[in-house]
Amino acid sequence: MNNRNLPAEEDDLYSGYNDFNPLFDCKELENDVGFQEAVRSSQGRKPLMQPIIGHLPDITTGGRPLSSSSGSRTPMLPISRPVTGAVQQSSVARPMSAISAAGYSSSPTRSLAFDPLGQSRGPAPPLEERKDDASEEKIKMLEKKVNDLTTESCMAQSVGNSQLALEKAKEAERKERALVRQREQSDSAEQTNIDLIYAKNYPKAIKFYRMALDHISDDYKEIRIKIMQNIGTVFVLLGQYSDAITSFEHIMSESPNIRTGYNLILCYYASRDGDGMKIAFQKLLSVPLGIDDEDKYISVNDDIKSNMLIEAIKDDKLHQMERELKARAEKYVMTAAKLIAPAIESSFAAGFDWCVDLVKSSQYVELANDLQLKKAMTFFRQMHFDQAMKILKEVAKQDSRVKSAASNNLCSLYILEKDYEQADRYADLAMNADRYNPGAFVCKGNTEFVKQDYVKAAEFFKEALRNDSSCTEALRNLGLTYKKLSRLEDALDCFLKLHAILRDSAEVMYQLADTYELLEDPQQAVEWLMQVISVVPNDPKALAKLGDLHDLDGDKSQALHYYCESFRLFPCNMEVIEWLAAYYVQTQLYEKAIQYFERAILVQPSEVRWQLLVASCYRRSGNNQKALETYKEIHRRFPEDAQCLRFLVRISQDLGLKEVQDYTSKLSKVEKMKELREQRAKAAREGSRSRRADSTDSTDSSNSKAERPGAQVMSLPVSGEPYESSSSPKELDASYVDPLGPPADTPRTGARKRADDDVFAGEDVGDQLLPE
């Protein structure tokens, strides 16, 4: 809007109205030489009397010329009518063109009856019908449609239906563009309808508004104010905020109103004028509402008649209008304060404090706490929790209409901080401040929910629904509580009611799907999940859930489709990665499985399992060299992993490598270290048990002393040799278990069976089994 400006200089308001075509100037025709010459020419002069040469029918003589005693008669024509076919001083007859006889004929074959209307010639031919597809007809129809839409838009705006007015205006604009294209196609672009252009021509609108002001006297003050409001609004649409400010300032000085004061603040805000915003906000607060005190609707005595009168006017049209006016004024004040607070001072907090102090000293003193609450919520959105809690605590201490709301917010903040004791305290405070506030009971139910007292939580949620049956938070939390209590049918009923209120909520649909899955109805679960992805098609969790349900149903192809879509949107879900890798291992597509195992390595780089699976895939696919390199890399990163060393020993033996002994010795050391760690852990566990036994059986000390040397006998040599281990040397266990499981049996095509394995050996094969 800042780029839309009128020219610097405006034209005269009444310019153009005295302009006319000089061809229509007939006052100077007497002095026009060319015109006078044409008049004096033979074409311009007319004879006073001319005889008509020709035959006129005679109604008595059958076509003979009229005669008299003195000769033939010649009718005389008036001087002002030109006669075609007349001659001067000549007896040569000229044919009469464009003049037909008055119903008579000289021909003997025609009837002599008097027929001036030509009725004897039969009925006239029918009129030619106009074609509906004519371009001019289309243009007229489009013009009518544009006018009708413009009128409907204005009527909708007058009754307060701004959305319908906007839709009608947009439709009128589209029709007008179609009208312009139609005129260009029919080569009649110069015949533009001016009235339609004025429906979007803001400069012309300002010009006509000012002309209207010139014609309206000062006695009609209300009409002049409305015209000034329209002028200011048009200037706003044009982006000329300084001119709009001039119009709105004039209105606020003559007849201030809430709407104009709010528009004035918006214009100053668009102009980045901080001082102007402050002054305009002060003017907005000082606008008188003209509403009487609410005390007149409160009965002060036991007079039956007065009480009946109060009850009658408590909800009449006038009181409803007053409430609407007050609510609209409070909305303007709140919105203006939130808008200008960050712009009038160096910080948002300072600007909001200035607005709050000004509101406290105005007729909107009740809005001061509302503004404080808005300030706290702004700090909350800016992640300044300490400042938000400080403001909320101050508001919660005051006896105001927002005390319950402030306590609710404090309860929610303490729940997020896991301070459930403080959360429970402020939940009680919110309920005591307003027993009809459903949010207070929701907060109290949440405190019981986090303490896992689900029965009490359900009671508080139901109490919130009794206060407000459309409280979606209470209904949702009650459904979740019923799921915790395993009351799945009740939970399903809650979520179905919630879905009737929130038709497009993907979260509600997902809860319905999850509840149906718990009820062991996978078909219904799949249907609700399909509705979820119709609303949010890029939800990886819902897609993974669909894949899981199809996998349980045995439909591997659909499960693969949904798991792949989930992986495409969120490639870090380990459950999805593991399922896809396992699927491709089962189908022996090891190259595809390796891609998903490598993705798992990126997600969990310290987990050796995924790297071993990659090496196993290489070995299964027959690429032993790549498998060996992968095992070596795993051993370099995890030198104490016994499973990797077992694989290295086995694959080195298969490939006949010299490093077999090296890997075997490393595996032996790792096994011994593992055994020692296990012995130490076992000894530590036994020591802890023995200490507990000593503390309970301290009386039998002599027996325990006798038994202590015996505990060392197992470590002493049994034979006469200096030292002998109590156990024989343990054989190295180089066996391994493939993490992918045993390889799948594949049919050996082309392999010849031995005679002993022939299932038909020793049996007589009849001719009926041989091919024909």
Side-chain angles (χ1 to χ4, degrees), residues 37-238:
E37 183 65 27
V39 171
R40 288 192 295 271
S41 64
S42 59
Q43 289 82 3
R45 288 183 286 115
K46 301 296 185 296
L48 295 179
M49 288 291 180
Q50 280 186 327
I52 299 178
I53 307 300
H55 296 282
L56 293 178
D58 187 356
I59 61 175
T60 58
T61 60
R64 290 179 294 173
L66 295 174
S67 60
S68 62
S69 57
S70 58
S72 64
R73 294 183 177 181
T74 56
M76 306 301 294
L77 294 178
I79 189 173
S80 61
R81 183 174 180 181
V83 180
T84 307
V87 296
Q88 299 184 22
Q89 307 298 328
S90 175
S91 60
V92 181
R94 293 177 59 191
M96 298 179 63
S97 60
I99 298 179
S100 61
Y104 298 96
S105 175
S106 60
S107 174
T109 60
R110 295 188 60 181
S111 174
L112 298 178
F114 180 71
D115 188 11
L117 300 179
Q119 297 179 357
S120 61
R121 292 176 296 191
L127 297 175
E128 183 180 357
E129 295 182 358
R130 299 185 64 179
K131 296 181 180 180
D132 294 337
D133 57 347
S135 59
E136 190 64 27
E137 187 68 20
K138 288 184 178 180
I139 290 173
K140 289 183 179 180
M141 291 175 64
L142 284 173
E143 287 182 355
K144 184 178 183 301
K145 188 63 176 177
V146 173
N147 280 321
D148 293 342
L149 289 171
T150 305
T151 304
E152 292 175 5
S153 177
C154 295
M155 294 298 293
Q157 180 65 26
S158 64
V159 298
N161 194 346
S162 302
Q163 183 64 30
L164 180 60
L166 179 62
E167 293 175 359
K168 294 293 184 181
K170 289 182 178 179
E171 183 66 20
E173 186 178 9
R174 287 193 292 268
K175 294 292 184 182
E176 199 273 336
R177 288 198 295 265
L179 174 62
V180 172
R181 290 194 296 267
Q182 185 67 27
R183 287 192 180 277
E184 291 176 353
Q185 293 175 2
S186 60
D187 296 332
S188 59
E190 68 278 358
Q191 300 177 3
T192 305
N193 192 336
I194 303 299
D195 294 335
L196 297 181
I197 295 179
Y198 285 161
K200 299 185 300 292
N201 195 332
Y202 296 133
K204 287 288 185 181
I206 294 175
K207 183 175 181 178
F208 287 125
Y209 281 138
R210 287 179 173 175
M211 289 172 58
L213 285 177
D214 293 341
H215 287 79
I216 297 175
S217 64
D218 296 337
D219 298 334
Y220 300 95
K221 183 178 180 180
E222 184 177 355
I223 297 178
R224 292 180 61 87
I225 290 298
K226 290 183 178 180
I227 295 175
M228 289 294 295
Q229 286 178 344
N230 292 343
I231 293 175
T233 304
V234 175
F235 275 128
V236 171
L237 295 174
L238 289 170

Side-chain angles (χ1 to χ4, degrees), residues 342-361:
I344 58 178
E345 297 292 343
S346 58
S347 65
F348 163 78
F352 228 110
D353 291 337
W354 182 88
C355 294
V356 170
D357 295 338
L358 201 62
V359 168
K360 287 181 179 179
S361 59

Side-chain angles (χ1 to χ4, degrees), residues 239-260:
Q240 295 182 262
Y241 301 114
S242 58
D243 296 328
I245 289 172
T246 303
S247 299
F248 293 144
E249 287 283 7
H250 174 75
I251 297 172
M252 293 300 289
S253 61
E254 295 291 332
S255 179
N257 60 82
I258 293 294
R259 182 180 178 184
T260 303

